[in-house]
Amino acid sequence: MKRYLIPATTLLGLVLGPGCGTVASATRPATRAVGEFVLGPEDEKKLGDQLAAEVKQKEKVLNDPQVQSYVNDLGQRLVDQTPKKERPFPFQFTVIEAPDDVNAFALPGGHIFVYSGLIRAADNEAELASVLGHEIAHVTSGHARQQLASLVGLGTLQQLLLGNNPNLVAQVGSAIVAQGYLAAYTRGMESEADKRGLQYLDTAGYDPAAMARFFDKLGNMEGSRPNFVSTFFATHPNPGDRAREVSSLIQSRGYGGGQEAIVSNDFQSIQARVGGPVR
């Protein structure tokens, strides 16, 4: 599928309209909007389930139970490292068949989508886990629901939750698919997700330095294969800076030492099933 990156304001333009009701208002400096609207856990799961169903309908979900099971098991291992109060719903991991596209994104309600090109780009399981941990952190930190709310607004959230506009979920889902992600996170959100993702990696037994290595690798690909990583860098900017920040954080927190770069011997066989490593 040919992807066209569209501005976040295009998504916002799909869903104009006043409203009030079932979501609470809060203000935090980390958001780009003046105010953000925070969904409760039940509403977040309901809305996330609806949007995930639209993404699965519009994207080509990889028809390979072995790969799907592998990525789900890997993701659940990382989810188990998160505080239970921050995951009031089960997480689901889905691989999208897009071997020439490096990407992963999170939706509210614990839905993580991974493009098969991301699996191809990783050198080992720890590097793949570093991206999954980062996306999980966007959900446990509330970033996914905050970004959706700040983009579509209170009125649209009300309509989505009430289900009185059956075309609205499809419109928002189409916008997510067209762009390849929900919305561009703020730098503060990205930094927080990196920090939490590192913690999840460390407690799960992976080498946290894999995150910095993967950022460096993708940064190099940006110069040699820009089309391959264009979608990833739309929501994961400044790879060189972030690799340095992650390395500094690893050192300051005393991470590393003894963890395996590859915890499962299945990674290479899984990678081969999605087209093999990127050369």
Side-chain angles (χ1 to χ4, degrees), residues 60-72:
K60 186 177 182 181
V61 175
L62 182 69
N63 184 21
D64 190 325
Q66 189 172 335
V67 175
Q68 296 288 357
S69 177
Y70 169 84
V71 172
N72 181 70

Side-chain angles (χ1 to χ4, degrees), residues 165-185:
N165 187 341
N167 294 324
L168 198 54
V169 173
Q171 286 181 313
V172 177
S174 294
I176 293 171
V177 170
Q179 187 150 283
Y181 53 89
L182 172 61
Y185 295 107

